[in-house]
Amino acid sequence: MSLPRSTVQSLLASQELDRDVLVKGWVRSRRGNKYVQFIIVNDGSTLHTIQAVANAELFPEESLKDVANGAAVAIWGRLVASQGKGQAVEIQAAEITVLGKADPETYPLQKKATSLEFLREIAHLRPRTNTFGAVLRIRHALAFAVHQYFNDHGFFYVHTPIITGSDAEGAGQMFRVTTLPPEHPPRTAAGAVDYSQDFFGKQTNLTVSGQLEGELAAMALGSIYTFGPTFRAENSNTARHLAEFWMIEPEVAFNELEENMDLAEDFLRYLVRYALERCADDLQFLNDQYDKDLLGRLRSVVENDFQRLTYTEAVEILKSAKQKFEFPVDWGTDLQSEHERYLVEKHFEKPVILTNYPKEIKAFYMKLDDDGRTVRAMDVLFPGIGEIIGGSQREEDYAKLTARMAEMHVPADELDWYLDTRRFGTAPHAGFGLGFERLVLFVTGMGNIRDVIPFPRYPKNAAF
Ligand code: ATP
Ligand code: MN
């Protein structure tokens, strides 16, 4: 029989019954009696499974012994209306081939309840669970929606380097990239490691942000975005930080802070709405399984405007809050996650955009406000997450920018290429960074960022 393979998803949606079909997938369970066996198959195309019915005349029990939980199978048969409850269609099996056995004694994903912590230890197999299947399909849909949104709005996708020659991006600790032998690297006369003999002839690192290169592209193409891997060697063992994550960074020439906020808000709403429309089954499953408020929370983001206020106003609110915070708040201090979440979850009960932070706690490239104390920064804060976006209007004035760099000890000679945008045809521009995993975390309602990326990297873990 040379039938093409049908996905479970297409079969479940099919109106065309009483025809021969071929399905391939992994057995989720097999049960039944001596007359008939029911084989439940999932192929990843959907959360749902299809049931194949194997009658004992064709399939004596012995012939099905390898059709066990986790085995890969190919099943030929007739797609028919189901006689049983719980599914609309099923396959009346005519032929079953086991493509790959899975020993029930050692297959780690047996029915017994599996915790998310345990699944993290077998991250290579967890995509076969309902939970991770759902998360990965949602992750895909969101990635696709990112490109869709920007393409529809006239943005160009720019690929910024992953290996960077500057260590002045200003966004955190970097991972070094080198091919020098660790045991006996070449040394200068003074005894320091001689990086002029390294692969690139200088020190190089993995990027912590594509923003600076993104700015160059925006000052040529107008509206651009990056979407790529980002690396931070900060030792933050939290449920919201990864050492390797994906970041989306739009940058728009001629945009100022207000337009930057409008873009961030419209973009986030679009992404959440996209997931609600395209991933309804997977979201319903996660809602029922883990978090009964998930769908409500997603809808409220789509339906409500974000609250916009300045950092200074936020600090006033936090200082007069009844709640006890672990970290004290005062004007000039960086806000902790507990403060961000208080504003979003308790005070305003909706997403918040905080603007105009003190210049001391923000990066050198942010545009100085007229008061000389604050910069045109904007952080978007989300329920359950805290900061999901960090962005700003950029300082376009060469003199002010270089003055800030000197104050903050950012080496101007290393960023000479960046300063050229301010030397030649400078203009107002603005952009932001959205952590893709923070977005997926929000949309899926999962509690830990390690559970929304296939192979998480965090301190002391680079397994698989
Ligand atoms: P945080 O204060 O939460 O550590 P940040 O201020 O260092 O974040 P930015 O440099 O502004 O983050 O990066 C832009 C966005 O990238 C953040 O708003 C967040 O969504 C995401 N992000 C930053 N660091 C991480 C990380 N270690 N893991 C996952 N996402 C991250
Ligand atoms: Mn930030």
Side-chain angles (χ1 to χ4, degrees):
M1 279 191 267
S2 67
L3 270 175
R5 173 173 83 93
S6 298
T7 61
V8 170
Q9 195 249 344
S10 73
L11 293 179
L12 294 180
S14 177
Q15 304 297 322
E16 209 190 320
L17 298 183
D18 302 312
R19 61 187 169 106
D20 289 329
V21 297
L22 164 61
V23 70
K24 295 181 183 179
W26 294 270
V27 175
R28 280 293 175 82
S29 70
R30 176 166 65 83
R31 59 187 169 75
N33 51 44
K34 64 180 175 194
Y35 307 108
V36 64
Q37 291 280 311
F38 300 98
I39 303 159
I40 308 297
V41 176
N42 180 276
D43 69 353
S45 60
T46 165
L47 176 74
H48 302 293
T49 51
I50 197 158
Q51 168 169 292
V53 182
N55 284 311
E57 300 101 76
L58 269 179
F59 303 97
E61 177 102 59
E62 177 59 18
S63 73
L64 296 178
K65 71 176 194 324
D66 291 334
V67 181
N69 194 1
V73 293
I75 299 177
W76 288 260
R78 257 186 126 57
L79 185 69
V80 296
S82 176
Q83 271 125 62
K85 298 200 289 278
Q87 63 277 321
V89 298
E90 63 192 18
I91 299 172
Q92 200 65 54
E95 192 179 326
I96 300 173
T97 303
V98 175
L99 302 172
K101 293 195 265 190
D103 183 350
E105 295 296 314
T106 52
Y107 183 55
L109 293 174
Q110 292 302 343
K111 255 165 279 148
K112 72 167 166 29
T114 32
S115 70
L116 294 171
E117 289 75 18
F118 169 70
L119 290 174
R120 227 170 274 147
E121 287 165 24
I122 51 162
H124 56 298
L125 288 174
R126 64 183 183 169
R128 294 210 195 164
T129 63
N130 282 334
T131 297
F132 286 91
V135 168
L136 292 178
R137 279 185 297 272
I138 293 167
R139 187 180 163 102
H140 160 79
L142 287 169
F144 188 83
V146 165
H147 293 297
Q148 185 77 57
Y149 179 89
F150 286 128
N151 190 59
D152 289 350
H153 288 78
F155 284 65
F156 299 104
Y157 181 25
V158 171
H159 297 94
T160 51
I162 290 167
I163 298 175
T164 164
S166 88
D167 60 3
E169 288 168 354
Q173 289 299 107
M174 302 180 101
F175 288 101
R176 180 152 303 160
V177 176
T178 177
T179 54
L180 293 180
E183 323 75 43
H184 42 81
R187 302 218 173 248
T188 62
V193 174
D194 182 6
Y195 286 101
S196 73
Q197 295 190 47
D198 204 347
F199 189 91
F200 296 105
K202 60 181 297 201
Q203 281 191 38
T204 49
N205 299 291
L206 293 178
T207 185
V208 292
S209 159
Q211 180 201 316
L212 302 189
E213 294 90 345
E215 283 185 52
L216 303 183
M219 295 307 282
L221 296 166
S223 301
I224 66 93
Y225 69 106
T226 72
F227 186 178
T230 312
F231 307 86
R232 298 200 182 170
E234 57 206 359
N235 200 3
S236 25
N237 239 318
T238 76
R240 302 176 310 119
H241 289 88
L242 290 163
E244 175 180 299
F245 63 102
W246 289 65
M247 185 140 67
I248 299 144
E249 294 179 278
E251 189 74 31
V252 184
F254 316 115
N255 264 11
E256 304 202 4
L257 186 63
E258 198 72 15
E259 293 148 316
N260 205 31
M261 289 194 272
D262 293 344
L263 175 65
E265 193 170 332
D266 189 56
F267 180 47
L268 284 170
R269 284 236 199 74
Y270 173 89
L271 294 171
V272 175
R273 193 180 324 116
Y274 189 96
L276 280 168
E277 283 166 8
R278 309 295 178 101
C279 307
D281 288 357
D282 287 320
L283 286 174
Q284 188 70 54
F285 169 80
L286 295 172
N287 184 87
D288 298 346
Q289 200 73 18
Y290 294 102
D291 180 354
K292 299 279 186 285
D293 299 327
L294 175 61
L295 290 171
R297 205 159 55 238
L298 298 183
R299 284 193 203 105
S300 100
V301 163
V302 171
E303 286 158 14
N304 292 300
D305 285 347
F306 297 2
Q307 182 71 42
R308 299 181 184 187
L309 71 160
T310 64
Y311 166 90
T312 304
E313 290 165 335
V315 167
E316 287 312 311
I317 292 172
L318 291 167
K319 280 168 76 172
S320 58
K322 296 237 167 49
Q323 178 154 333
K324 266 255 164 290
F325 296 114
E326 191 188 337
F327 295 90
V329 205
D330 215 345
W331 201 94
T333 58
D334 208 355
L335 299 186
Q336 302 292 326
S337 178
E338 55 171 343
H339 307 131
E340 298 176 341
R341 294 185 58 175
Y342 174 84
L343 292 168
V344 174
E345 291 161 27
K346 301 262 163 53
H347 192 82
F348 291 110
E349 297 188 64
K350 56 177 169 170
V352 166
I353 310 183
L354 285 190
T355 60
N356 308 87
Y357 283 72
K359 65 179 180 192
E360 287 77 15
I361 58 173
K362 288 293 181 185
F364 71 90
Y365 48 72
M366 298 192 180
K367 185 176 174 65
L368 206 57
D369 282 311
D370 294 338
D371 67 5
R373 298 175 74 208
T374 55
V375 287
R376 294 212 186 141
M378 53 161 242
D379 278 8
V380 182
L381 314 179
F382 257 36
I385 305 287
E387 179 185 331
I388 193 164
I389 278 181
S392 67
Q393 184 176 339
R394 320 305 187 189
E395 183 57 77
E396 83 270 21
D397 182 281
Y398 178 85
K400 288 186 189 161
L401 181 59
T402 47
R404 280 302 288 149
M405 288 169 72
E407 275 167 26
M408 296 176 78
H409 308 290
V410 177
D413 50 333
E414 270 190 43
L415 288 177
D416 203 51
W417 53 274
Y418 177 69
L419 290 172
D420 267 359
T421 52
R422 275 64 169 178
R423 288 191 186 102
F424 309 114
T426 192
H429 59 289
F432 58 80
L434 166 65
F436 185 56
E437 284 73 20
R438 297 238 177 124
L439 171 74
V440 183
L441 194 58
F442 176 72
V443 171
T444 59
M446 300 296 284
N448 194 315
I449 200 165
R450 298 170 185 180
D451 295 332
V452 300
I453 187 167
F455 300 99
R457 269 85 181 90
Y458 48 91
K460 300 283 178 283
N461 181 78
F464 319 108

